[in-house]
Amino acid sequence: MAKRERVVRMSVEQPLWRALTAYRLITMVYAVLLFASAYRDFDRPWVAAAYLACLSGWTLATRRKVSGAAVCTKQFLVADLTVALVGILLTPLADTHERITAGGPTLPTIWTAGAVLGFALKGGWRWACIASSIVAVANIVQRGEPTRDTVHNVLLVWVASVAIGYVVEVARASEATLARALEIEAATRERERLARDIHDGVLQVLAMVQRRGTELGGEAAEIGRMAGEQEVALRSLVSSGLVHTSRVSRDESLGALVDAYEVEEPGGDEGETDLRTLLAPHAGAKVSFAEPGTPVLLPSPAARELAAAVGAALDNVRKHAGEGARAWILIEDWGDEVIVTVRDDGPGIPAGRLDQAEGEGRMGVALSIRGRLRDLGGTAELVSVPGQGTEVELKVPRGRTQ
């Protein structure tokens, strides 16, 4: 059953597009109100009124065009900047020379900055630099000469737009890196799950065939040798991580980027399982089983994974502790966590042997035990003293096993 994990993170870019949409509407209203409060001072107020009517219609009609990078095209950005430039260059025709030289606003006023910011959000700081430079030239042409106020306003728009464009570029690079990291994480988890299953089944069968073939001799020995070679090759394949593909999709809505990847996970059933029923079959002449008197309930997938880790620990006892070794399984239910201890009276594990085994591709403890517990949000602690046996303590917190 495919388990779909959703990893949600907020996008830096999308809220900026929403802010730009609001900015254009607010500055449109501001430009209209500013003209209404001083229309008597204009030489040709009908020119200003006609332009502001066009500006208002354009802003309202194109508000969806600035809702995101996907719908904001280059053609729209050029047209939007053209509307702003026309307003700037029409100002001397509509307003008086005295008001213009005294530092009066252009017809679109600060609405022009919205057109420049559109370039910044769409194309980054380089596009912002080009657009703001064009606006600077238009303002100087409209004023007739580069006054201090003009230079100040132009520089402010230039710096703000370039800074926002740079932030957007950095945000996009960071999001791409995070998306790649999610793909790698999904592939790694799938590889580890497959490696656990292979270790619990195929590798053990191959190892048994190799042992029995060597013992029997003859043609069986040749089969055993081939099984041993395949075991080594399969261990190498598992440990090399040749799992490339994770299915990642992206949905952009409400200011969030949602990255989802699908990983095939066994046992995706709902409900809870009594852990005692999964571990009781291990009890036998050489394995003692101690359990609480009440059910030890865990979500079914978590219970199965924990039981598989216990099985892997017992397999290690049978394989490495010798035929006469005994083992003990103890379940403890502490309410907020479940602890399963597997102990044996074998010869113990020499210091450094686990690291050596992992380096050789023998991933029993690393994947079949620790890997399972890590996926459940728990821990696996192994204590071994040469000559005094080995103890594996598996802890699973209840609140993180959903």
Side-chain angles (χ1 to χ4, degrees), residues 134-382:
I134 294 174
V135 170
V137 172
N139 274 281
I140 294 174
V141 170
Q142 178 259 336
R143 293 285 184 183
E145 59 181 5
T147 64
R148 186 175 64 178
D149 289 341
T150 302
V151 172
H152 177 270
N153 293 334
V154 165
L155 187 62
L156 183 63
V157 172
W158 193 88
V159 171
S161 61
V162 170
I164 291 175
Y166 180 75
V167 168
V168 169
E169 288 187 0
V170 172
R172 286 173 180 163
S174 300
E175 288 166 3
T177 301
L178 180 57
R180 178 56 182 159
L182 289 172
E183 292 183 16
I184 295 173
E185 180 187 4
T188 301
R189 291 185 58 187
E190 176 68 357
R191 175 175 60 84
E192 291 186 353
R193 184 189 69 79
L194 291 173
R196 290 196 299 265
D197 292 342
I198 291 172
H199 176 271
D200 292 346
V202 178
L203 291 179
Q204 292 183 13
V205 171
L206 290 174
M208 184 188 70
V209 171
Q210 182 186 20
R211 278 198 312 272
R212 293 295 295 159
T214 303
E215 293 172 359
L216 294 173
E219 293 184 0
E222 178 63 17
I223 295 175
R225 184 189 64 79
M226 295 172 62
E229 292 176 354
Q230 293 304 311
E231 179 192 7
V232 172
L234 188 54
R235 287 186 189 277
S236 176
L237 179 64
V238 168
S239 61
S240 65
L242 296 179
V243 178
H244 301 293
T245 305
S246 61
R247 287 162 287 181
V248 180
S249 62
R250 174 171 290 189
D251 176 33
E252 189 172 321
S253 61
L254 300 179
L257 290 181
V258 180
D259 284 293
Y261 52 86
E262 295 182 2
V263 180
E264 294 292 331
E265 301 237 354
D269 304 315
E270 298 295 331
E272 293 184 325
T273 298
D274 186 356
L275 181 63
R276 302 178 305 169
T277 63
L278 298 180
L279 298 185
H282 292 298
K286 296 182 180 180
V287 180
S288 299
F289 180 55
E291 58 182 319
T294 57
V296 182
L297 298 177
L298 286 173
S300 296
R304 281 190 290 270
E305 285 290 277
L306 181 54
V310 172
L314 292 174
D315 288 337
N316 287 335
V317 173
R318 285 189 289 268
K319 185 183 301 183
H320 303 296
E323 294 294 334
R326 290 182 53 83
W328 291 264
I329 303 174
L330 172 64
I331 302 179
E332 300 175 89
D333 189 350
W334 292 95
D336 59 340
E337 68 177 358
V338 174
I339 302 176
V340 179
T341 304
V342 180
R343 183 171 60 86
D344 67 68
D345 61 357
I349 303 175
R353 178 61 186 131
L354 289 179
D355 293 336
Q356 179 185 355
E358 187 170 344
E360 295 172 353
R362 300 179 181 275
M363 312 293 284
V365 173
L367 294 181
S368 290
I369 299 177
R370 288 177 179 156
R372 281 190 163 97
L373 271 293
R374 183 176 64 249
D375 288 348
L376 297 177
T379 59
E381 297 181 6
L382 187 147

Side-chain angles (χ1 to χ4, degrees), residues 69-151:
V71 295
C72 184
T73 62
K74 295 179 182 178
Q75 293 78 6
F76 165 75
L77 290 175
V78 172
D80 201 47
L81 185 62
T82 301
V83 171
L85 295 176
V86 169
I88 293 173
L89 298 177
L90 279 178
T91 302
L93 183 62
D95 208 349
T96 63
H97 179 71
E98 291 76 14
R99 278 171 48 85
I100 293 175
T101 55
T106 60
L107 294 181
T109 66
I110 56 176
W111 185 92
T112 304
V116 176
L117 292 177
F119 277 85
L121 295 183
K122 177 68 175 181
W125 68 270
R126 294 174 181 83
W127 287 26
C129 183
I130 294 173
S132 57
S133 299
I134 294 174
V135 170
V137 172
N139 274 281
I140 294 174
V141 170
Q142 178 259 336
R143 293 285 184 183
E145 59 181 5
T147 64
R148 186 175 64 178
D149 289 341
T150 302
V151 172

